[in-house]
Amino acid sequence: MPAVRVAIIGAGFSGIGMACGLLRAGVTDFVLLERAREVGGTWRDNVYPGAACDIPADLYSFSFAPNPDWSHRYPRQEELLHYLRDVADRFGVTPHIRFGTEVESGEWDAAAAVWRIATNAASWTADVLVSASGPFIDPAWPAIPGVETFPGPRLHTARWDPALDVAGKTIAVLGTGASAIQLVPELRPRGAWVIVLQRTAPWVIPRHDPPTSDRRRRAFRRRPWRQRLARALVFAGAEARFPGFATPVIGRVAEAVYRRSLRRQITDPTLREQVMPRFRLGCKRVLISSDWYPALASPEVRLVTEPVLRIDGAYLVTAAGARHRADVLVAATGFNVTAQPIATRIRSRGGTLAEHWRPHASALRGTTVAGFPNLFLLVGPNTALAHNSMVYVIESQIRYVLAALAALEARRARTIETDPVAQRHYADRLDRALTRSVWQTGGCVSYYQDAGGANPTIWPHAAATFARTVRRFDPAEYLWE
């Protein structure tokens, strides 16, 4: 049974970033376990037409690995996948990756003070386990009776078939979230007819996405400080949007601006009424597109706002009794973010992480959990940002994990474990901030919330505040053996 100092689960942004951090810290005794055949995580799996990031490329990338050659302001899926492959190769991470290796269980052995990790390929032991699997792993299908019997191609946006020919076909798209607003405008030019089935009208703001000029690329290559400055300016601009979520008065002003933009794009009064959001800006994920409203207004796209009761053969039957025939059924319904699959596979004393998180998930500084020694989470509970780059959060967490590992070495300790009192106080502070936030009081139900209505997803402050929260590792918040 191979033994390593650190085992990392997942080779997306978090896992590759953690591996780079270990190598820069001089730690080479680690393995990265990846269930797929290549790196990329979200940006490997989501290959539907139009897939792209909604954070500018200069910020949605590692600070230690800038890329001067992005094609547009917002990076496309294939560019991000290429970028992650390049980072893994260039920084020496790839030799540490075990592809096609899915973690089936990770169990803490208290007597030996190691994690025993079973995979479909081999078993490992590790002194420290880092979960970098993230929340966007397994697609969520809506619970519509008859969905399994649909006779045509049936696929989720996260499991798109690139060989699918949509020309001349009627595509029924369930959902109006981030993937739908990217996919639907791309289907029209490919000769498809589209039925969009909307449950809730989202907030969609314009996407200013100019191509990157050759002059800009040359300037960034020759003078890297210019790209670092661009990154800082983009970060500052994103932080400047946070008061729109935190301050109701500012949020109302922003809502008025975006409503006027919607009215200019949608002239049909019936359609305009159907796509007008009925909740506060920010309560759900704010979407970015300049193509969504024009697509909905086109003759090739039909919007249906009645709930789908069942699927009867090739027909989607709505609450009003209407029957909409489709050749292809696409679920643009995202993921079950608050119930991460890996949590059912990580076990310590007292049960699995999923059981420990009932009724609500929490973690000290989004990174460690009481009762789970030598376990670190990247993109853990309450680390998601509604206004800024998750890569910034990931890098902040990685520095925190490295500081914890350095403290473990300095103390010559076998284990580090979260003090439950410290975790409870941290969770209480977050709950107080979330209770009065737009994410809980904005008049919507979102994927940020779990089945009990709690919000174990969002970080309710500015991104820089999170970085300050994890900037200093405090040994007093932990129990040592």
Side-chain angles (χ1 to χ4, degrees), residues 90-107:
R90 184 155 43 104
F91 288 87
V93 172
T94 304
H96 293 267
I97 304 175
R98 300 298 177 266
F99 292 109
T101 303
E102 182 168 8
V103 172
E104 297 172 343
S105 67
E107 187 157 356

Side-chain angles (χ1 to χ4, degrees), residues 155-224:
L155 61 165
H156 193 281
T157 51
R159 298 293 183 267
W160 188 264
D161 180 4
L164 177 67
D165 182 10
V166 301
K169 294 183 172 64
T170 299
I171 317 295
V173 178
L174 299 167
T176 52
S179 57
I181 69 161
Q182 294 180 341
L183 171 66
V184 170
E186 291 290 323
L187 293 176
R188 291 172 51 240
R190 297 170 187 240
W193 300 86
V194 187
I195 303 171
V196 177
L197 297 120
Q198 173 185 280
R199 184 178 61 179
T200 306
W203 282 99
V204 183
I205 67 177
R207 180 186 183 95
H208 304 292
D209 189 24
T212 303
S213 68
D214 290 338
R215 180 180 178 182
R216 184 179 191 267
R217 296 182 194 184
R218 287 195 301 270
F220 284 177
R221 285 194 209 100
R222 294 171 182 171
R223 296 176 178 85

Side-chain angles (χ1 to χ4, degrees), residues 171-326:
I171 317 295
V173 178
L174 299 167
T176 52
S179 57
I181 69 161
Q182 294 180 341
L183 171 66
V184 170
E186 291 290 323
L187 293 176
R188 291 172 51 240
R190 297 170 187 240
W193 300 86
V194 187
I195 303 171
V196 177
L197 297 120
Q198 173 185 280
R199 184 178 61 179
T200 306
W203 282 99
V204 183
I205 67 177
R207 180 186 183 95
H208 304 292
D209 189 24
T212 303
S213 68
D214 290 338
R215 180 180 178 182
R216 184 179 191 267
R217 296 182 194 184
R218 287 195 301 270
F220 284 177
R221 285 194 209 100
R222 294 171 182 171
R223 296 176 178 85
W225 65 265
R226 289 190 174 185
Q227 189 163 20
R228 291 194 295 271
L229 176 60
R231 179 186 178 92
L233 292 174
V234 172
F235 178 82
E239 289 288 83
R241 290 195 295 271
F242 180 74
F245 299 110
T247 308
V249 172
I250 298 176
R252 299 295 186 192
V253 172
E255 289 171 10
V257 170
Y258 295 134
R259 283 196 175 100
R260 281 198 295 271
S261 174
L262 187 159
R263 292 187 183 99
R264 286 195 297 269
Q265 297 178 72
I266 302 289
T267 57
D268 179 81
T270 300
L271 180 59
R272 183 191 298 159
E273 183 69 15
Q274 290 175 323
V275 299
M276 188 68 70
R278 304 300 175 190
F279 53 87
R280 284 177 55 196
L281 178 72
C283 184
K284 284 177 176 281
R285 180 176 175 179
V286 178
L287 308 179
I288 304 176
S289 174
S290 295
D291 304 322
W292 174 245
Y293 291 136
L296 291 182
S298 70
E300 298 89 356
V301 177
R302 184 176 6 147
L303 181 68
V304 176
T305 58
E306 303 156 3
V308 178
L309 291 187
R310 68 182 188 279
I311 294 177
D312 182 9
Y315 291 87
L316 287 78
V317 184
T318 70
R323 295 169 63 86
H324 302 278
R325 190 184 185 284

Side-chain angles (χ1 to χ4, degrees), residues 8-12 32-39 41-42 44-45 97-104 119-121 133-139 158-159 335 341-342 345:
I8 306 168
I9 305 173
L32 203 162
L33 306 172
E34 170 54 56
R35 69 179 183 177
R37 294 295 174 181
E38 66 172 325
V39 303
T42 295
R44 175 197 61 235
D45 296 340
I97 304 175
R98 300 298 177 266
F99 292 109
T101 303
E102 182 168 8
V103 172
E104 297 172 343
T119 78
N120 61 330
S133 61
F136 302 116
I137 300 296
D138 294 330
R159 298 293 183 267
F335 306 83
I342 196 65
R345 306 183 185 192

Side-chain angles (χ1 to χ4, degrees), residues 132-153:
S133 61
F136 302 116
I137 300 296
D138 294 330
W141 270 88
I144 301 175
V147 68
E148 300 87 356
T149 64
F150 184 80

Side-chain angles (χ1 to χ4, degrees), residues 358-383:
R358 293 174 185 161
H360 311 301
S362 73
L364 177 62
R365 309 192 184 282
T367 311
T368 61
V369 181
F372 289 79
N374 293 17
L375 173 68
F376 298 92
L377 311 175
L378 299 179
V379 194
N382 295 111
T383 59

Side-chain angles (χ1 to χ4, degrees), residues 414-469:
R414 292 205 310 166
T415 66
I416 175 175
E417 182 177 348
T418 307
D419 185 334
V421 175
Q423 181 175 326
R424 186 166 59 251
H425 288 169
Y426 180 81
D428 288 344
R429 291 195 301 272
L430 278 180
D431 287 343
R432 286 194 295 270
L434 283 163
T435 297
R436 57 180 182 268
S437 74
V438 66
W439 300 285
Q440 293 298 90
T441 65
C444 76
V445 176
S446 73
Y447 73 76
Y448 301 144
Q449 298 163 319
D450 62 21
N455 191 326
T457 307
I458 285 289
W459 170 252
H461 305 292
T465 305
F466 180 83
R468 287 195 296 271
T469 298

